Amino acid sequence: GGCGNSPKTENTPAPEPADETTVTLTDAQVNNSDVRVDTIHQQNISSLLKVNGKIEVPPQNMVSVSVPMGGYLKSTKLLAGMHIAKGESIAVMEDQQYIELQQNYLVAKVHLVQLEAEFNRQKELNHTKAGSDKVFQQAQTEYFSQKILLKGLEEKLRLIGINPGELSEKTMSRSITIASPIDGFVSQVKQNIGKYVAPTDVLFELVNPADIHLTLTIFEKDLHSLSVGQKLIAYTNTEPSKKFACEIILIGKDVSPERTVQVQCHFEKYDKSLIPGMYMNAEVEVATSSAFVIDNDGLVRFEGKQYVFTETGKNTYAMLEVTTGNSENGMTQITASDTNDLAGKSFVTKGAYTLLMKMKNKEEEDREMGRHATTRKKVIQTAHGFNHRLCKAS
C-alpha cells in the first residue's frame, strides 16, 4: 500500500471454541461407520457374590469307633487317609473278657436245655395233678430266667461282633474283629498296638464323604439374595480352574457377632479330591434390582470415567457421563446423575469408540486451525509495521 494511508489491519475472527462433548457426522460418515442407535430399557442383570467357605462333614457321616467291652489292640492296618469299605476288618482286639463271655453263653445255653426239660416235665405232672403247683412254678421261673439270661448274653456277643449262632466250644476265641460300619476313609487313628483301650476310648475316627457339605460364611446384608435350591460354583485357591457345582440346602437362622450366617451347600457330584476341613471359594449368581442397561459397545472409557453417547439431532451425538454396574451377556447396567438423562432417549449402542475418536480428532483439527489463524494475523501485522518504517525513512 502507499505511504500516505495507513494500511487496514486484517481482523481475522478467532475460531469459536469447539463443544468438546458433541460430535457431528456427515451422512456418508454415518453410512460408512459402525455407529448404531437405539433406545435402552430397564432390566435385571445377575451379579456374582463371592464368598468363602469350608468343607465339613455332617455328624451322621462321622463315626467314632470304640469297643463296648474294652480290650487290648492286637493289630490294625489303618492309616489316616486310607479308604475302607463297609464290613471290612479294621482292627483285632484281644482280652480275657471275650473268653469269659463266650464261656458263660455256652454254659447258659446247655443249662437252658436242662431247665426246659424239667419245665416240660413239671408242666405235664401239674396237668395230671401228679405234681404240686409250687414245684411247677419254681421250674417255670428257673426256665424263663435262664432264657432271659441267654438272650442277654447273645446281645453282648453281637455287641463285640460275635455271631451266637456260630459259636461253639470249638470256635471260642480270645480275640474279636472290629468291622468298619461305613464306606469312607480314615480320619484319625487314635490308639497304638498293644495298648489297653477302655470302653469309652475311641480307636478310630471314620468319615463317609459321600454327603460332605460346603459351609459358606455369608454376611447378613447378602442373605436376601440367597435361597434354598440356588446353584453356585465352588473352587479351591490351589486349583481355581477346577469348578464344583453345588446347591444351597440350608440357610442358618443364627447371626454371629460378626454379622454372618452359615449357609450349607451340597456338592452335586462327589470328588475324592474334596477333603473335610479344606477351605474353598464360591461364586453365587444373584439378581440385582432393575436398572437401565446398554450394550458394552455403547460404553467408552475416557480419562478414568465412563461415558455413553446420546443422539441430540440428525447425525449429532453428545457424551454423557454414567456410572456402570454389573455386566452380563454383553450388557452393562448404567446410572446417570439425573434419571431423566436415560429415560426415553436414543443412545449409541454400537460404535461409541468410533465417535470418541472422531471427537478427539476434531478437537485437534480445531486447535490446529486456531494456531494457524493466530500465526497469520501476526505475520500480517509484522508486514504492515515494516512498510510503515520504510515510508518514514524515505
Side-chain angles (χ1 to χ4, degrees):
C3 291
N5 298 319
S6 298
K8 294 181 179 180
T9 303
E10 184 177 339
N11 293 320
T12 304
E16 296 181 3
D19 184 354
E20 296 184 359
T21 63
T22 303
V23 61
T24 301
L25 304 181
T26 64
D27 290 340
Q29 286 175 326
V30 171
N31 293 334
N32 293 329
S33 72
D34 59 347
V35 176
R36 299 293 179 268
V37 176
D38 200 354
T39 55
I40 62 175
H41 307 281
Q42 287 186 312
Q43 69 181 59
N44 289 336
I45 285 187
S46 296
S47 63
L48 285 181
L49 175 63
K50 297 185 177 182
V51 293
N52 300 316
K54 183 181 179 182
I55 298 178
E56 295 183 349
V57 178
Q60 62 270 25
N61 283 38
M62 296 184 67
V63 178
S64 296
V65 179
S66 57
V67 182
M69 292 182 64
Y72 293 92
L73 179 58
K74 183 180 179 180
S75 65
T76 183
K77 63 178 182 179
L78 296 195
L79 295 172
M82 182 181 291
H83 183 270
I84 48 172
K86 185 175 182 179
E88 180 182 349
S89 173
I90 57 176
V92 175
M93 304 295 297
E94 194 173 75
D95 198 86
Q96 64 178 9
Q97 297 179 81
Y98 312 147
I99 302 172
E100 291 173 0
L101 177 59
Q102 296 169 81
Q103 178 181 314
N104 292 340
Y105 171 77
L106 291 174
V107 171
K109 189 175 182 181
V110 171
H111 192 39
L112 179 64
V113 175
Q114 179 187 352
L115 292 176
E116 184 178 15
E118 180 62 17
F119 166 71
N120 290 332
R121 191 175 74 86
Q122 291 297 334
K123 184 179 181 181
E124 183 64 28
L125 290 173
N126 185 258
H127 182 68
T128 59
K129 305 300 182 182
S132 67
D133 290 342
K134 183 179 180 180
V135 175
F136 169 67
Q137 289 172 358
Q138 184 178 356
Q140 184 182 47
T141 299
E142 290 179 356
Y143 170 60
F144 286 157
S145 296
Q146 191 67 12
K147 284 183 70 175
I148 294 170
L149 174 64
L150 191 66
K151 182 64 177 176
L153 293 172
E154 283 182 4
E155 292 305 317
K156 285 186 177 181
L157 288 171
R158 289 192 176 95
L159 202 58
I160 59 173
I162 296 176
N163 184 357
E166 297 177 356
L167 181 62
S168 68
E169 68 277 8
K170 294 180 180 180
T171 59
M172 287 177 61
S173 173
R174 62 184 180 183
S175 62
I176 60 172
T177 300
I178 306 298
S180 172
I182 62 167
D183 284 312
F185 62 88
V186 181
S187 176
Q188 295 182 56
V189 178
K190 291 182 169 287
Q191 306 295 339
N192 57 273
I193 293 174
K195 186 176 180 180
Y196 180 79
V197 181
T200 55
D201 293 338
V202 175
L203 280 168
F204 314 106
E205 294 282 3
L206 309 180
V207 175
N208 178 4
D211 195 32
I212 58 176
H213 289 173
L214 175 61
T215 302
L216 300 177
T217 302
I218 308 293
F219 283 103
E220 184 182 13
K221 65 181 179 64
D222 296 321
L223 273 182
H224 70 280
S225 303
L226 305 180
S227 60
V228 173
Q230 198 167 355
K231 307 294 184 181
L232 57 100
I233 296 296
Y235 54 91
T236 63
N237 283 326
T238 55
E239 199 174 2
S241 60
K242 189 174 182 180
K243 309 293 184 181
F244 299 93
C246 301
E247 179 181 338
I248 295 176
I249 59 172
L250 181 67
I251 297 177
K253 306 300 181 186
D254 183 38
V255 182
S256 72
E258 294 78 24
R259 314 310 300 169
T260 61
V261 174
Q262 301 296 305
V263 173
Q264 301 294 332
C265 308
H266 181 71
F267 288 94
E268 293 188 356
K269 186 178 180 182
Y270 169 65
D271 190 293
K272 289 184 178 180
S273 64
L274 299 172
I275 301 173
M278 180 184 289
Y279 287 95
M280 299 194 79
N281 304 308
E283 295 178 352
V284 191
E285 262 197 13
V286 295
T288 61
S289 57
S290 180
F292 284 100
V293 299
I294 193 168
D295 193 288
N296 290 344
D297 289 336
L299 272 170
V300 291
R301 185 175 184 86
F302 179 65
E303 294 182 348
K305 297 179 180 180
Q306 297 279 5
Y307 295 91
V308 295
F309 283 92
T310 61
E311 187 178 48
T312 58
K314 179 177 172 56
N315 300 346
T316 302
Y317 314 94
M319 286 180 75
L320 172 66
E321 184 182 347
V322 293
T323 302
T324 58
N326 298 309
S327 297
E328 183 182 43
N329 299 326
M331 306 293 286
T332 299
Q333 288 183 335
I334 58 171
T335 54
S337 56
D338 186 349
T339 307
N340 294 327
D341 288 338
L342 301 177
K345 294 186 177 181
S346 295
F347 288 81
V348 173
T349 57
K350 187 178 181 182
Y353 266 105
T354 299
L355 293 181
L356 180 65
M357 292 301 101
K358 178 67 178 175
M359 180 182 294
K360 297 310 158 187
N361 289 338
K362 181 175 178 296
E363 288 178 18
E364 289 297 325
E365 291 173 2
D366 290 343
R367 282 194 289 268
E368 193 64 27
M369 288 177 62
R371 284 195 294 271
H372 287 326
T374 301
T375 303
R376 186 165 178 263
K377 183 177 180 180
K378 289 180 178 179
V379 169
I380 292 173
Q381 289 174 344
T382 301
H384 287 165
F386 180 70
N387 289 338
H388 181 67
R389 286 194 297 275
L390 285 176
C391 289
K392 287 179 70 177
S394 60

